[in-house]
Amino acid sequence: MGLSIKSVPALPAQTAFFARLRGHLPAHLSLVDEVADVLQLSTDSTYRRLRGETALSLDEATRLAQHFQLPLTDLLTSPSESVTFQRMSINAQPGGISDYLRYTASYFGQAAAANAHISYAAKDIPAIYHFLFPELARFKVFFWLKTIKTVEAFSNLRYAAQHIPNEVIAAGAAAAEQYLRMPTVEIWNDETVNSTLRQIEYYHDAGLYEQPADVPRLLDTLEALVQHIQRQAIAGRTLRHNLEVAPYQLYFNEILLLDNTILTAAEGHDRVLVSYNGMDYLHTTDASFCTEVKQWMRVQTEKSTLISQVSEKERNRFFNKIYARIEEQRRKLRQGHRAP
């Protein structure tokens, strides 16, 4: 009588979990080696877990999830119906903005190291650009903390540049350095610059500047930022310290109100950031969600006009409308100063 050998049933949730881990791993690294290192296991023991022959303990699953920054809930949910997000948020403390910007720099640094491409549907001017212009960055950070996040330490303050520490601007500049390293597609529309213009005007009308002379300087700096974007569009490259860095495409969309969604796409390393609460983001590497957003971005570029390197007439028309709005704000400001 022969012996029958029962095969050990694989663990489907565990197998799926390791598949997700593999998707988070740069192509040049070995999943076996990484898991063995994290769990301090032999290669043979690691293979048994990867094949689903040995169940992961809760402690092992937790250690792997933390190391790969993959939520444990991915073990429990159906990827077709649910998406797991992590968040990047500004804590309601004055120092929270520095942590947020350092995290952002790390996020874009990892994406750049993975040779990612960025697609950005810009409802507002991409926040990263403000940090190329420190005076405007200080205003935007003050506005975010006082008016959006209502941080208590700012509640009785009016805007002045000295209220924002240099370390905040340095952290934002480091994030900008990483962002500009990557090939970038940005989709703008007629409203993209308007929120910053309205914020500058709102603080003026509400008497929230310590020095009224800051208002024309902020408008000048905003115009300089727009000129920077225009130079990028002409060159078809991102610019840092007047040096061309990475391929850049700018699209003008006439029909859609955009939503500040960001896609960083790399081989096996896609991630989507979705904005909420003004400056906070939810982000995910869920493959089906990333694929859906990638398709949406593709459709939006097809329905938009490329105004970088080509379409000089459309590009000039787009930027001239922005400059006209800035000049209109200057005119209103001058009229206000002449009022009795």
Side-chain angles (χ1 to χ4, degrees):
M1 180 174 165
L3 294 174
S4 64
I5 300 175
K6 282 190 170 183
S7 61
V8 179
L11 304 168
Q14 183 168 308
T15 302
F17 181 60
F18 279 122
R20 296 297 301 280
L21 296 189
R22 187 174 285 106
H24 276 243
L25 199 64
H28 67 281
L29 295 179
S30 163
L31 180 63
V32 175
D33 292 342
E34 290 294 304
V35 172
D37 184 58
V38 173
L39 300 183
Q40 295 296 292
L41 294 173
S42 68
T43 301
D44 185 57
S45 296
T46 302
Y47 270 119
R48 285 200 298 270
R49 284 162 174 78
L50 292 178
R51 291 192 295 260
E53 296 170 0
T54 298
L56 284 171
S57 69
L58 181 58
D59 176 67
E60 289 173 337
T62 301
R63 286 155 61 191
L64 288 170
Q66 290 174 341
H67 178 79
F68 286 92
Q69 298 185 339
L70 180 63
L72 264 180
T73 49
D74 280 10
L75 282 169
L76 309 173
T77 57
S78 167
S80 63
E81 296 299 330
S82 60
V83 178
T84 301
F85 287 88
Q86 294 174 287
R87 65 177 181 175
M88 279 168 42
S89 63
I90 303 172
N91 297 327
Q93 301 294 330
I97 185 69
S98 294
D99 293 338
Y100 169 91
L101 291 169
R102 282 191 287 268
Y103 187 100
T104 302
S106 174
Y107 175 90
F108 285 134
Q110 291 174 15
N115 297 316
H117 291 61
I118 289 183
S119 298
Y120 196 136
K123 177 182 178 182
D124 308 303
I125 298 171
I128 219 74
Y129 286 121
H130 297 107
F131 292 95
L132 304 180
F133 302 88
E135 184 163 10
L136 186 60
R138 292 179 191 278
F139 171 77
K140 292 292 288 191
V141 170
F142 185 91
F143 186 91
W144 295 331
L145 295 178
K146 178 181 175 67
T147 305
I148 303 299
K149 285 293 186 177
T150 61
V151 175
E152 186 175 356
F154 288 77
S155 60
N156 295 319
L157 296 179
R158 292 184 296 167
Y159 170 72
Q162 66 265 24
H163 294 316
I164 305 302
N166 290 334
E167 68 177 47
V168 172
I169 304 305
E177 292 278 358
Q178 299 301 330
Y179 180 90
L180 294 170
R181 288 172 56 195
M182 290 176 280
T184 300
V185 172
E186 290 174 356
I187 309 171
W188 290 38
N189 66 16
D190 280 330
E191 292 294 315
T192 299
V193 176
N194 287 350
S195 62
T196 298
L197 269 174
R198 292 184 187 116
Q199 290 161 9
I200 293 170
E201 180 183 26
Y202 171 77
Y203 266 38
H204 174 260
D205 293 345
L208 289 174
Y209 292 100
E210 286 187 11
Q211 300 294 330
D214 283 340
V215 185
R217 284 199 296 269
L218 287 171
L219 290 173
D220 290 345
T221 309
L222 175 60
E223 185 173 66
L225 187 161
V226 175
Q227 290 169 345
H228 176 91
I229 301 299
Q230 186 174 15
R231 287 195 298 273
Q232 288 191 163
I234 292 171
R237 308 285 295 187
T238 61
L239 300 175
R240 187 70 175 118
H241 305 303
N242 292 319
L243 297 175
E244 296 183 1
V245 183
Y248 177 77
Q249 290 183 310
L250 179 64
Y251 286 85
F252 169 52
N253 187 301
E254 296 185 77
I255 60 175
L256 184 69
L257 184 62
L258 304 168
D259 57 6
N260 289 333
T261 295
I262 302 173
L263 167 70
T264 57
E267 187 66 35
H269 201 76
D270 294 351
R271 188 181 295 262
V272 171
L273 292 83
V274 180
S275 68
Y276 75 102
N277 289 349
M279 277 299 296
D280 297 332
Y281 280 94
L282 298 172
H283 59 96
T284 184
T285 58
D286 182 271
S288 61
F289 188 84
C290 289
T291 298
E292 186 177 343
V293 171
K294 189 180 294 187
Q295 170 70 5
W296 180 83
M297 288 283 191
R298 185 187 65 78
V299 170
Q300 298 320 308
T301 59
E302 290 175 354
K303 295 182 181 297
S304 302
T305 301
L306 178 65
I307 57 173
S308 54
Q309 293 191 292
V310 297
S311 304
E312 179 181 15
K313 180 179 178 181
E314 290 300 320
R315 180 172 63 246
N316 289 339
R317 180 180 297 158
F318 173 72
F319 283 102
N320 286 340
K321 284 192 291 186
I322 297 174
Y323 296 137
R325 291 191 199 108
I326 295 173
E327 185 55 38
E328 174 66 12
Q329 287 297 321
R330 291 194 183 103
R331 185 188 64 78
K332 290 169 65 175
L333 182 64
R334 289 193 295 268
Q335 287 180 339
H337 284 169
R338 288 198 298 266

